[in-house]
């Protein structure tokens, strides 16, 4: 986490009570864990019917892949529940319906799993609308619709080293782009070191309501060293995807934070849980010299 | 509006005219001022002046004055006040007459058991006012406290009908109301955020506070603007006789108070300050580790507050009172790589009150006050800067007129007007090279007004009625709201020792706290009624019985209440509450209701004093589907986190001898309602993003934490109880004496195999906040 959250406040201007609650909760949790004031307890949770969970990120020029799983009681065994009787149908902007084949696998480049895969690469342009339908033999049916956002290009990437001795010298990084005027836009900013197969070093989401139509500069704190290879990614999100990401973060924060209000996940699909969206992003590689 | 004024006029006319026909005996008015003698300080508001033989009595006004109509003849008049020895004076009443009292403290300030005159219990039996709790700072000082920090608001949590918001916090949740529905007053000026350090300590320094009254229901007509309670804190006047210094050195803070006469016989002043010193230690730790490149410095944190009060007599009929409060929490962080983060928040309160005595039957109090709460966040990293702030500022004018036309009626009229400024979000971000430069300033204004009249009417010795009407209004931009708020209370004495009581009150609240955390965070902001956000409204009925037992040494009361509220406020999941010009779109509206039974037995005389309180209560809220959401809890009723079914408190104070006092308090409450995730799903996210588990929360607050119980013990040992040169004591406290691990919250955690770093199981963990915490405080006075 480092102090990225502070930069998030600095640049994205989206401090939330939940954010402060997270800070306060973090302090409390840290103190308590060090004081030995925690213990295991038995909790009996009421039954909650399993729901289909969809994860589908369509990309132009790539095979459509969808991961379908099931929600489970929170205290259930950790093994993932993958239903095998789900049919997934993708409807393209021209109305063509593709039934994706059930072929579970793992993308070795990204280390992400999927259960259903298409046979042909997608063509997706900004404004294109895709439909998704998933149903099983138990009568569960999940549907969703996704529109590809326009690409917002990165104008420039800069970095600045501090004045510390060489062995402790670090750089912050800034990314500049032009926000489209007249629309409310949402972004996801990520910086990876060396490869995108690993977790990002920096990540946050933002909206443009305070600087709509202006040039926006995002950044990190001092956390990169000389000669680091960085992958800088700027996603342009639609509102449902942004709200889904926010709600996932809020739901996670609520577990273990006495100050946070529990939050329901705002799925972009109906009839189940999950996300169906078309990715629109630009990624650049830089080496900090 | 004409109709409303007509109602007021009728009310007043009837009040004044009625008693003329009821007079059966020549009566005169006994009036005067009750003051503390010697080292005790100035006037004593809220003191009791009574003639027990007649069952007649009254309490002193804010300036310590009283007015008591009595039949002609000889009477024994008793004046009493919490923490002072009662005084009885005989008077032969042949005309309107003044009779001042000077009460002597019940021992020195540092630790004798509070002795309260029996008149107070009798007065509680006789008064129409029900659902009110009064505490003196002296009483709070004797009781054990967390970290030894005496906190009068936390002591109020030991009274029936009052819940806390969580272990160790000072927030009050009164009869099913939330913490923002309390009207917190400091010498009549509003305090918006009465807590330090996320609610762990209240802003009220016990050295400066004289007393606090908590109204849980049956609200008198002079109070308005909040739904659930009135917390009326009075600062202590300075010592009018001599200069005095007092203070204390505690585990986490120290206090110092200076007081004395401004001009002998004319006035007095008091200045009191308090500061914590966590930061002194953390800075030393940071300094010792400054050469370690992997060391993360501990942020600085401290809070301080200053209280000041002065009173000055302008003449025989005029006196002015000046009150000031300034408090701040300061949080600062300077990282080794150049990142600076400062976060400050606090209240500023100032009030000036003018008291004018027209005659023994007519008093006027006029005050002007300012109150402000603000927070400010400042960040700086290299060339980038960021500032975020929010504040609320009130300017208030208020006038109250007390008129006692005869022995059957006591009238009170008044008007108040407040100009609010709500700075809900001010933000500025910039950089030296101009690549970042934007900001926002969202400010609203509002005007709130109230007009009231009330009458305490005593048609017979057995029956007493207090009825009144408050007209309230609020204007923000082009939106105007108004409300008619009837108030009524009645007392009927079945026997001299047994009274039945009932009350009704309707309240409006025009300003709203914007928070969805359930905790008192410094970033809470206040928002006016405007657009879709309508004023909150509540009504409460209560009935009870008061029974004086054991020759007046015990008072047993039982009250039942039912409260229902409309336009209650909550927020959408994921609501964007900060720097949002469309904030009203994030609100959800619903209703709430609460009911319960409170039993209270108190003893105020003798070497052993204290009380036992028990509350059986239910609180519910409901927010139906609206604004594109399913509401809260799918529109079904739910229990808020502060709902507790059972609440038992036992408080005992025992004076062993002149040097030693022992105290103890025990609390048992049912478990708090909380929300746990019922299910989870695996979320991979996009390539290059963290995978993990996401909890699913389908319902709100359906799980109950384990019951809470705790015993606190205290001992006050006087080092210098008698010497003229000064007084001092050591106050020992043991918080959570049997070291119970009370639940603070529960969360779910992954169990991992350390060798493979794979998840093997999930488990529920209960977190407790405070183990047994002993503390000692050294107090002094000279």
């Amino acid at each position: 986490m480092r102090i990225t959250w502070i930069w998030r406040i600095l640049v994205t201007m989206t401090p939330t009570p939940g954010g402060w609650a997270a800070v306060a909760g973090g302090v409390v949790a840290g103190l308590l864990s060090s004081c030995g004031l925690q213990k295991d307890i038995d909790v009996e949770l009421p039954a909650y019917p399993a729901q289909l969970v969809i994860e589908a990120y369509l990309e132009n020029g790539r095979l459509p892949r969808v991961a379908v799983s099931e929600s489970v009681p929170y205290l259930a065994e950790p093994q993932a529940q993958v239903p095998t009787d789900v049919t997934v149908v993708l409807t393209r902007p021209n109305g063509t319906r593709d039934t994706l084949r059930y072929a579970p696998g793992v993308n070795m480049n990204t280390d992400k799993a999927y259960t259903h895969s298409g046979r042909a690469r997608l063509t997706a342009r900004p404004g294109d609308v895709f439909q998704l339908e998933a149903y099983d033999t138990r009568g569960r049916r999940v549907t969703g619709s996704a529109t590809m956002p326009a690409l917002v290009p990165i104008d420039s990437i800069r970095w600045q080293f501090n004045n510390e001795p060489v062995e402790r010298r670090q750089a912050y990084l800034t990314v500049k782009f032009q926000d489209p005027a007249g629309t409310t836009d949402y972004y996801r900013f990520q910086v990876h070191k060396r490869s995108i197969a690993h977790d990002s070093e920096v990540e946050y989401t933002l909206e443009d309501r305070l600087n709509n139509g202006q040039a926006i500069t995002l950044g990190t704190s001092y956390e990169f060293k000389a000669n680091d290879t960085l992958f800088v990614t700027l996603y342009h999100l639609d509102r449902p995807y942004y709200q889904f990401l926010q709600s996932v973060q809020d739901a996670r924060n609520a577990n273990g934070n006495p100050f946070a209000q529990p939050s329901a996940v705002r799925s972009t699909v109906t009839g189940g849980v999950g996300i169906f969206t078309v990715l629109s992003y630009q990624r650049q590689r830089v080496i900090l010299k | 509006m004409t109709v409303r004024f007509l109602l007021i006029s009728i009310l007043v006319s009837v009040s004044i005219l009625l008693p003329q026909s009821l007079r059966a005996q020549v009566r005169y008015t006994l009036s005067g001022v009750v003051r503390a003698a010697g080292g005790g300080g100035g006037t004593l508001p809220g003191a009791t002046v009574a003639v027990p033989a007649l069952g007649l009595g009254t309490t002193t006004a804010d300036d310590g004055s009283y007015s008591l109509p009595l039949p002609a003849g000889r009477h024994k008049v008793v004046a009493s006040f919490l923490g002072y020895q009662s005084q009885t004076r005989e008077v032969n009443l042949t005309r309107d007459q003044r009779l001042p009292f000077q009460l002597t403290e019940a021992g020195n300030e540092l630790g004798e058991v509070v002795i309260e005159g029996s008149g107070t219990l009798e007065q509680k039996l006789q008064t129409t006012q029900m659902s009110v709790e009064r505490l003196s700072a002296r009483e709070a000082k004797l009781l054990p406290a967390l970290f030894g920090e005496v906190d009068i608001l936390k002591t109020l949590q030991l009274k029936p009908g009052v819940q806390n918001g969580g272990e160790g916090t000072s927030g009050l949740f009164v009869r099913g109301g939330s913490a923002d529905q309390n009207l917190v007053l400091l010498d009549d000026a509003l305090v918006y955020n009465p807590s330090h350090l996320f609610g762990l300590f209240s802003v009220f320094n016990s050295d400066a506070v004289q007393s606090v009254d908590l109204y849980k229901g049956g609200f008198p007509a002079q109070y308005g603007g909040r739904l659930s309670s009135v917390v009326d804190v009075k600062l202590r006047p300075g010592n009018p006789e001599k200069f005095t210094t007092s203070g204390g050195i505690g585990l986490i803070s120290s206090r110092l108070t200076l007081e004395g006469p401004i001009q002998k016989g004319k006035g007095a002043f008091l200045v009191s300050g308090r500061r914590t010193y966590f930061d002194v230690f953390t800075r030393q730790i940071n300094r010792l580790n400054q050469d370690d490149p992997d060391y993360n410095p501990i942020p600085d944190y401290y809070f301080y507050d200053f209280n000041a009060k002065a009173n000055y007599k302008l003449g025989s009929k005029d006196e002015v009172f000046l009150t000031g409060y300034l408090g701040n929490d300061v949080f600062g962080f300077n990282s080794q790589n150049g990142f600076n983060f400062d976060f400050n928040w606090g209240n500023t309160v100032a009030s000036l009150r003018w008291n004018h005595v027209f005659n023994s039957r007519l008093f006027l109090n006029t005050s002007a006050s300012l109150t402000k709460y603000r927070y400010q966040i400042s960040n700086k990293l290299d060339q980038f800067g960021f500032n975020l702030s929010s504040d609320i500022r009130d300017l208030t004018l208020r006038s109250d007129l007390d008129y006692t036309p005869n022995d059957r009626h006591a009238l009170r009229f008044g008007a108040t007007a407040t100009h609010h400024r709500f700075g809900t979000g001010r933000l500025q971000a910039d950089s030296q090279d101009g690549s970042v430069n934007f900001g926002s300033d969202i400010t609203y204004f509002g005007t709130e007004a109230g007009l009231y009249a009330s009458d305490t009417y005593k048609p017979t010795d057995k029956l007493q009625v207090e009825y009144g009407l408050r007209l309230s209004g609020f204007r923000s931009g082009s939106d105007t709201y108004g409300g008619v708020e009837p108030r009524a209370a009645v007392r009927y004495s079945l026997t001299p020792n047994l009274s039945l009581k009932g009350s009704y009150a309707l309240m409006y609240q025009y300003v709203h706290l914007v928070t969805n955390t359930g905790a008192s965070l410094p970033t809470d902001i206040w928002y006016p009624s405007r657009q879709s956000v309508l004023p909150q409204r509540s009504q409460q009925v209560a009935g009870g019985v008061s029974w004086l037992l054991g020759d007046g040494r015990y008072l047993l009361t039982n009250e039942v209440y039912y409260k229902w509220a409309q336009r209650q406020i909550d927020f959408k999941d994921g609501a964007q509450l900060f720097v949002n010009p469309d904030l009203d779109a994030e609100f959800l509206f619903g209703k709430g209701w609460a009911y319960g039974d409170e039993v209270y037995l108190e003893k105020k005389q003798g070497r052993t004093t204290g009380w036992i309180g028990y509350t059986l209560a239910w609180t519910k809220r409901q927010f139906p589907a609206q604004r594109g959401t399913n509401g809260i809890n799918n529109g079904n009723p739910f229990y808020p986190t502060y709902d507790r079914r059972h609440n038992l408190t036992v408080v005992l104070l025992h004076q062993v001898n002149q040097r030693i006092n022992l105290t103890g308090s025990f609390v048992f409450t049912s478990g708090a309602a909380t929300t746990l995730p019922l299910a989870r799903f695996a979320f991979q996210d996009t390539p290059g993003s963290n995978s993990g588990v996401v909890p699913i929360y389908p319902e709100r607050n359906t799980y109950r934490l384990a019951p809470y119980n705790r015993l606190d013990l205290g001992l006050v040992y006087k080092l210098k109880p008698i010497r003229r040169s000064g007084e001092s004591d050591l106050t020992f406290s043991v918080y959570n004496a049997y070291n119970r691990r009370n639940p603070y919250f529960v969360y779910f955690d992954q169990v991992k195999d350390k060798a493979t770093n794979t998840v093997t199981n999930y488990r529920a963990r209960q977190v407790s906040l405070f183990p047994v915490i002993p503390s000692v405080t050294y107090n002094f006075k000279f």
Side-chain angles (χ1 to χ4, degrees):
Chain A
M1 192 67 178
R2 300 176 188 171
I3 57 171
T4 306
W5 62 274
I6 295 173
W7 180 262
R8 182 184 170 202
I9 294 169
L10 184 67
V11 178
T12 68
M13 312 309 163
T14 56
T16 63
W20 287 111
V23 175
V27 172
V28 169
L31 288 172
L32 299 180
S33 60
S34 62
C35 294
L37 290 169
Q38 300 191 29
K39 66 175 183 182
D40 289 358
I41 59 168
D42 292 326
V43 168
E44 203 164 308
L45 295 176
Y48 182 72
Q51 296 192 62
L52 287 178
V53 178
I54 305 291
E55 267 195 274
Y57 308 101
L58 304 183
E59 283 191 58
N60 182 42
R62 294 185 187 272
L63 288 176
R65 281 173 169 162
V66 177
V68 181
S69 60
E70 271 186 338
S71 67
V72 295
Y74 205 103
L75 297 174
E77 295 294 311
Q79 285 74 29
Q81 298 297 312
V82 179
T84 57
D85 59 342
V86 178
T87 302
V88 177
V89 179
L90 178 68
T91 304
R92 296 172 188 253
N94 61 6
T96 305
R97 286 170 59 87
D98 289 344
T99 300
L100 308 188
R101 61 195 167 95
Y102 177 71
V106 176
N107 183 329
M108 302 309 289
N109 292 327
T110 62
D111 208 25
K112 300 292 182 184
Y114 56 88
T115 56
H116 296 73
S117 180
R119 293 175 177 79
R121 295 179 187 276
L122 277 179
T123 300
R125 289 179 291 270
D128 283 353
V129 179
F130 294 82
Q131 311 285 339
L132 185 82
E133 181 182 12
Y135 55 90
D136 66 2
T137 55
R138 294 162 57 188
R140 294 181 295 183
R141 184 169 174 271
V142 179
T143 59
S145 174
T147 304
M148 183 177 178
L151 183 74
V152 173
I154 294 171
D155 290 339
S156 64
I157 300 174
R158 299 180 191 281
W159 54 91
Q160 175 71 48
F161 286 96
N162 58 20
N163 297 321
E164 295 290 314
V166 175
E167 66 275 9
R168 287 165 56 177
R169 184 169 297 168
Q170 290 185 307
Y172 69 78
L173 180 136
T174 60
V175 174
K176 191 175 179 182
F177 63 94
Q178 179 62 44
D179 177 69
T183 55
T184 303
D185 295 280
Y186 307 89
Y187 303 96
R188 186 180 194 183
F189 174 62
Q190 289 182 327
V191 180
H192 291 81
K193 202 185 285 187
R194 288 186 291 278
S195 161
I196 63 157
H198 308 289
D199 294 346
S200 57
E201 300 292 314
V202 175
E203 169 167 349
Y204 50 81
T205 56
L206 66 146
E207 60 175 300
D208 67 350
R209 61 188 171 83
L210 294 176
N211 37 17
N212 196 323
Q214 300 176 23
I216 295 178
T217 300
L218 307 180
T220 72
S221 57
Y222 286 105
E223 52 191 304
F224 303 111
K225 293 179 178 172
N227 297 315
D228 274 352
T229 299
L230 304 181
F231 293 89
V232 180
T233 310
L234 180 68
Y235 291 88
H236 188 205
L237 315 178
D238 59 6
R239 182 178 162 86
Y241 186 23
Y242 173 78
Q243 289 181 330
F244 171 77
L245 288 173
Q246 290 280 306
S247 67
V248 163
Q249 191 62 42
D250 290 344
R252 283 173 163 167
N253 287 343
N255 182 32
N257 185 344
F259 302 126
Q261 187 67 266
S263 174
V265 171
R266 301 177 75 169
S267 300
T268 69
V269 296
T270 56
V273 182
I275 175 72
F276 171 52
T277 191
V278 188
L279 298 181
S280 175
Y281 63 91
Q282 188 179 49
R283 178 172 291 145
Q284 291 189 15
R285 191 185 75 145
V286 294
I287 301 173
L288 304 190
K289 294 290 187 182
Chain B
M1 211 54 176
T2 310
V3 175
R4 291 174 184 171
F5 279 114
L6 190 62
L7 281 172
I8 294 278
S9 304
I10 293 170
L11 181 78
V12 172
S13 304
V14 169
S15 303
I16 296 171
L17 293 176
L18 255 177
Q20 307 305 324
S21 58
L22 295 171
R23 289 188 186 185
Q25 189 176 3
V26 176
R27 289 174 179 261
Y28 298 105
T29 299
L30 189 68
S31 62
V33 175
V34 180
R35 293 180 179 275
T43 57
L44 297 175
T48 300
V49 180
V51 179
L54 301 177
L56 297 174
T58 186
T59 53
T60 55
D62 292 345
D63 57 351
S65 63
Y66 74 93
S67 176
L68 180 63
L70 294 170
R74 288 187 178 277
H75 304 291
K76 283 186 177 175
V77 186
V78 181
S80 56
F81 187 64
L82 205 61
Y84 289 78
Q85 291 176 353
S86 300
Q87 186 180 33
T88 303
R89 296 186 65 181
E90 202 166 300
V91 62
N92 185 10
L93 207 58
T94 55
R95 54 185 169 80
D96 287 350
Q97 196 169 327
R98 290 186 70 78
L99 183 67
F101 286 91
Q102 287 203 323
L103 303 188
T104 306
E105 291 178 57
N108 64 56
E109 186 179 74
L110 294 170
E112 287 210 353
V113 168
V114 173
I115 309 294
E116 186 177 1
S118 60
T120 300
L121 286 184
E122 285 178 6
Q123 183 65 21
K124 288 179 80 167
L125 177 78
Q126 297 292 339
T127 181
T128 50
Q129 179 65 53
M130 60 188 301
S131 312
V132 64
E133 306 290 350
R134 164 166 282 231
L135 268 178
S136 71
R138 298 163 187 283
E139 203 167 12
K141 279 180 174 179
L142 285 175
L143 292 172
L146 177 62
F147 298 118
E149 282 298 302
V150 176
D151 192 325
I152 200 161
L153 291 193
K154 283 185 190 167
T155 309
L156 280 177
Q157 293 169 351
L158 296 170
K159 298 291 186 175
V162 185
Q163 303 292 347
N164 61 43
E167 170 96 60
T169 58
S170 61
L172 303 178
F173 296 80
V174 181
R175 290 187 173 174
S178 53
D180 60 305
Q181 293 173 342
N182 302 323
L183 182 73
V184 182
L185 301 172
L186 180 67
D187 276 355
D188 298 327
L190 189 64
V191 179
Y192 274 98
N193 188 341
S195 65
H196 291 297
L197 191 59
F198 304 112
L200 281 183
F201 303 104
S202 82
V203 298
F204 302 114
N205 176 353
S206 58
D207 282 356
V209 169
Q210 177 156 284
S211 65
V212 56
D213 289 337
L214 170 68
Y215 295 84
K216 302 180 289 187
F219 305 104
Q222 67 263 33
Y223 295 118
R226 294 292 185 278
L227 295 192
S228 286
S229 82
V230 179
V231 182
D232 193 1
V233 179
K234 298 295 184 194
L235 284 190
R236 190 164 60 84
N239 188 331
E241 306 295 330
K242 62 177 182 179
F243 287 98
T244 307
T245 302
S246 58
I249 300 168
L251 205 60
I252 62 171
S253 77
S254 286
R255 301 165 273 113
L256 186 67
T257 301
L258 305 173
E259 56 188 303
I262 294 175
Q263 186 183 345
K264 203 89 173 188
K266 284 284 192 177
F269 75 94
L270 176 144
V271 181
S272 184
R274 173 175 65 157
R275 190 192 189 281
T276 61
Y277 27 70
F278 310 109
D279 56 313
V280 175
F281 304 109
T282 56
R283 281 178 191 164
Q284 285 299 326
I285 296 169
N286 290 342
R287 194 166 294 135
L288 291 172
N289 291 280
Q290 62 185 354
D291 295 328
D292 181 357
D294 297 325
Y295 178 72
N296 287 318
I298 304 169
D300 275 353
Y301 172 77
Y302 62 92
F303 71 74
Y304 63 86
D305 43 40
F306 294 105
N307 288 277
K309 183 164 185 171
N311 60 295
Y312 192 79
K313 283 184 181 173
L314 300 174
S316 61
K317 294 192 170 184
D318 296 282
E319 189 166 6
V320 290
F321 300 80
L322 182 65
T323 295
Y325 170 86
L326 173 67
N328 267 311
D329 287 54
V330 181
F331 181 92
F333 178 76
N334 297 315
S335 78
Q336 293 186 357
N337 57 9
F339 183 83
N340 298 325
F341 176 80
D342 294 304
F343 185 9
N344 305 325
W345 65 94
N347 297 281
T348 304
V349 175
S351 72
L352 177 65
R353 180 165 60 89
W354 166 49
N355 172 252
H356 179 72
V357 180
F358 290 99
N359 54 52
S360 62
R361 295 176 181 272
L362 187 62
F363 306 90
L364 174 70
N365 273 294
T366 302
S367 65
S369 62
L370 173 148
T371 184
K372 183 178 179 180
Y373 173 73
R374 62 110 189 85
Y375 74 81
Q376 179 163 14
I377 297 168
S378 302
N379 297 327
K380 191 162 177 55
L381 175 69
D382 194 62
Q383 60 162 321
F384 300 98
F386 163 72
N387 290 285
L388 173 69
S389 65
S390 170
D391 65 17
I392 179 165
R393 190 270 292 138
D394 288 0
L395 295 172
T396 299
L397 277 174
R398 178 182 184 97
S399 201
D400 301 282
L401 200 63
D402 288 275
Y403 177 50
T404 309
N406 51 59
D407 60 323
R408 297 288 183 194
H409 288 264
L411 301 174
R412 177 170 263 205
F413 311 91
T416 178
T418 298
H419 180 261
H420 299 279
R421 187 188 68 201
F422 304 85
T424 59
R426 295 197 185 90
L427 180 152
Q428 180 60 45
D430 51 40
S431 63
Q432 290 169 8
D433 65 2
S435 60
V436 175
N437 185 13
F438 61 93
S440 177
D441 185 351
I442 305 168
T443 301
Y444 303 107
F445 295 93
T447 303
E448 186 172 355
L451 187 67
Y452 74 90
S454 69
D455 176 23
T456 302
Y457 172 44
K458 191 174 182 183
T460 71
D461 285 346
K462 288 191 171 187
L463 181 65
Q464 187 165 306
V465 182
E466 185 173 342
Y467 59 102
L469 189 70
R470 182 181 181 86
L471 307 176
S472 61
F474 187 83
R475 183 176 177 83
S476 177
S478 58
D479 300 317
T480 304
Y481 310 93
V484 179
E485 306 177 30
R487 316 282 173 83
V490 60
R491 182 268 297 163
Y492 183 78
S493 297
L494 289 174
T495 72
N497 291 330
L498 187 65
S499 293
L500 299 178
K501 297 183 182 184
S503 69
Y504 167 82
L506 188 151
M507 307 287 277
Y508 278 92
Q509 180 165 339
Y510 297 99
V511 299
H512 319 281
L513 184 66
V514 178
T515 177
N516 60 1
T517 62
S520 176
L521 293 181
T523 49
D524 291 344
I525 56 181
W526 290 83
Y527 192 76
S529 293
R530 61 186 295 274
Q531 297 184 350
S532 63
V533 185
L534 301 176
Q536 299 179 60
R537 192 176 90 141
S538 81
Q539 296 173 81
Q540 184 184 157
V541 289
V545 57
S546 297
W547 190 12
L548 203 57
L549 303 166
D551 294 329
R553 286 177 296 142
Y554 301 91
L555 183 68
L556 175 68
T557 60
N558 184 29
E559 290 188 13
V560 293
Y561 66 89
Y562 185 83
K563 181 160 71 175
W564 62 105
Q566 297 86 37
R567 304 169 197 154
Q568 298 301 281
I569 282 173
D570 212 311
F571 297 89
K572 296 177 180 174
D573 279 349
Q576 176 53 262
L577 302 183
F578 274 47
V579 199
N580 185 349
D582 300 318
L583 193 58
D584 68 295
E586 306 286 357
F587 286 67
L588 295 177
F589 305 101
K591 62 181 180 180
W593 60 100
Y595 48 94
D597 186 4
E598 299 166 1
V599 184
Y600 187 54
L601 175 67
E602 61 179 323
K603 179 177 183 289
K604 295 283 187 183
Q605 281 185 297
R607 293 165 71 94
T608 302
T609 58
W611 67 84
I612 300 171
Y614 169 74
T615 306
L616 174 67
W618 287 261
T619 301
K620 280 197 171 185
R621 307 186 90 193
Q622 186 173 24
F623 291 76
Q626 58 190 288
R627 297 187 153 193
T629 72
N630 293 327
I632 296 175
N633 200 37
N634 297 311
N636 298 314
F638 65 95
Y639 297 108
T641 55
Y642 47 85
D643 173 66
R644 309 280 198 282
R645 196 67 59 246
H646 305 279
N647 186 358
L648 173 70
T649 56
V650 180
V651 175
L652 289 175
L653 305 91
H654 180 68
Q655 183 179 15
V656 178
N657 55 40
Q658 282 288 317
R659 278 180 171 255
I660 297 175
N661 287 314
L662 294 176
T663 59
S665 63
F666 172 77
V667 179
F668 173 90
T669 61
S670 303
T674 190
T675 304
L676 291 181
L678 299 191
R680 60 177 158 84
F681 67 90
F683 177 54
Q684 297 191 92
D685 209 339
T686 52
S689 303
N690 298 339
S691 298
V693 163
V694 180
I696 296 176
Y697 297 92
E699 295 172 334
R700 176 78 65 95
N701 293 343
T702 50
Y703 182 77
R704 290 278 174 175
L705 298 177
Y708 181 101
N709 59 80
R710 193 188 80 232
L711 174 69
D712 301 338
L713 298 172
L715 185 151
V716 180
Y717 180 72
K718 290 189 203 170
L719 300 170
K720 298 177 182 175
I722 299 166
R723 294 179 193 174
R724 283 190 173 186
S725 57
E727 303 164 351
S728 63
D729 75 19
L730 287 170
T731 301
F732 300 90
S733 276
V734 183
Y735 182 89
N736 193 9
Y738 51 82
N739 196 24
R740 178 178 158 81
R741 296 292 197 259
N742 279 303
Y744 187 50
F745 65 96
V746 169
Y747 72 101
F748 292 159
D749 192 16
Q750 296 176 336
V751 181
K752 287 188 173 180
D753 183 307
K754 288 183 179 174
T756 61
N757 198 34
T758 54
V759 178
T760 59
N761 210 345
Y762 288 87
R763 62 180 176 175
R765 302 273 285 165
Q766 175 183 292
V767 180
S768 304
L769 194 55
F770 296 122
V772 56
I773 297 179
S775 60
V776 61
T777 306
Y778 173 70
N779 300 300
F780 60 87
K781 182 177 180 180
F782 56 86

